[in-house]
Amino acid sequence: AQKITQTQPGMFVQEKEAVTLDCTYDTSDQSYGLFWYKQPSSGEMIFLIYQGSYDEQNATEGRYSLNFQKARKSANLVISASQLGDSAMYFCAMRGGSGNTGKLIFGQGTTLQVKP
Amino acid sequence: DTGVSQNPRHKITKRGQNVTFRCDPISEHNRLYWYRQTLGQGPEFLTYFQNEAQLEKSRLLSDRFSAERPKGSFSTLEIQRTEQGDSAMYLCASSPAGGYGNTIYFGEGSWLTVV
């Protein structure tokens, strides 16, 4: 079975500073994808960044980067130069590659608050 | 280019009533998913369609829940005889068919409150 664990229920960061949100995962699949989504209070799940299990380089998308450590089964999200608009809930999710439906399995989420 | 659209966005209903939510996926996406999310929790998978075929249902989807995707385009999720425990946000998502690298895009969700 696949599992995602996010151990930080809440995080604070000062505006313009960097923050790391932790994510560990468990799977028996050899091929899988790891995703991060942002959910503001409005409710929409916004896709941020993707890392494939065979990708050798860490993914980056603008201010977002994913620190992928395959041996440790971790996929931490790094947000650089935090902005007030980054305040939201963040979810780590995994999608297996073993011919299944491709559904996402989510962690419990981390609430990030950016302080001015 | 429109994203995933869900309606209604909010629904308040009395216990025992039936409710139906609609989802319009991104037009070229043939995979469609329904998730349920309660406050402070991550989304939980409910069911999955590939085109019009419902290929997987979670154990969370009791017999009071039914989902359809009649022509492989929009989908509906109906909850019969609602209970207070059904209060949650119902998220619809879509993606192209293919490997695990294809991104799943979500709608804004439909909030259900059962009173």
Side-chain angles (χ1 to χ4, degrees):
Chain A
Q2 298 175 333
K3 187 177 180 181
I4 294 282
T5 302
Q6 294 179 253
T7 57
Q8 305 155 313
M11 291 280 287
F12 289 92
V13 65
Q14 205 68 37
E15 194 179 7
K16 299 181 185 176
E17 292 186 349
V19 63
T20 298
L21 307 183
D22 294 342
C23 172
T24 58
Y25 61 91
D26 192 18
T27 182
S28 56
D29 289 338
Q30 295 300 307
S31 306
Y32 50 88
L34 295 157
F35 299 79
W36 277 91
Y37 286 84
K38 172 184 177 182
Q39 189 176 42
S41 56
S42 60
E44 184 181 4
M45 296 287 282
I46 301 167
F47 165 71
L48 294 178
I49 195 166
Y50 161 79
Q51 178 87 39
S53 56
Y54 292 113
D55 293 342
E56 294 185 352
Q57 299 217 340
N58 287 338
T60 60
E61 289 285 350
R63 295 187 298 110
Y64 305 108
S65 60
L66 200 153
N67 183 359
F68 181 47
Q69 298 188 45
K70 193 171 182 177
R72 293 186 176 184
K73 293 189 173 178
S74 76
N76 298 338
L77 176 70
V78 180
I79 305 174
S80 64
S82 297
Q83 301 171 357
L84 295 178
D86 294 335
S87 295
M89 197 140 181
Y90 289 80
F91 290 97
C92 180
M94 176 167 59
R95 193 180 196 189
S98 56
N100 62 17
T101 60
K103 65 179 182 276
L104 285 168
I105 304 298
F106 284 86
Q108 295 285 77
T110 296
T111 300
L112 176 68
Q113 292 193 30
V114 180
K115 294 181 176 179
Chain B
D1 181 23
T2 57
V4 179
S5 175
Q6 292 187 245
N7 63 80
R9 292 291 320 281
H10 297 90
K11 179 75 176 177
I12 300 174
T13 191
K14 291 184 178 178
R15 189 174 51 187
Q17 298 293 305
N18 298 345
V19 296
T20 299
F21 298 110
R22 176 177 169 129
C23 171
D24 289 89
I26 294 171
S27 58
E28 62 269 24
H29 288 180
N30 54 9
R31 287 183 168 184
L32 187 145
Y33 305 84
W34 284 99
Y35 285 80
R36 181 172 70 186
Q37 185 180 19
T38 53
L39 214 56
Q41 302 295 315
E44 297 173 296
F45 170 77
L46 290 179
T47 191
Y48 156 72
F49 289 86
Q50 178 144 329
N51 299 312
E52 65 275 11
Q54 187 175 21
L55 297 184
E56 186 176 350
K57 291 196 292 187
S58 162
R59 287 171 295 176
L60 293 174
L61 213 65
S62 76
D63 55 6
R64 296 185 297 106
F65 287 70
S66 62
E68 294 183 342
R69 194 182 181 195
K71 295 183 180 179
S73 57
F74 73 92
S75 174
T76 57
L77 176 70
E78 182 184 18
I79 309 173
Q80 296 182 326
R81 304 181 304 280
T82 51
E83 301 172 356
Q84 287 188 324
D86 298 331
S87 295
M89 181 164 67
Y90 292 85
L91 285 160
C92 178
S94 70
S95 81
Y100 56 85
N102 286 322
T103 299
I104 295 181
Y105 293 93
F106 285 81
E108 292 180 310
S110 293
W111 291 91
L112 173 65
T113 302
V114 181
V115 296

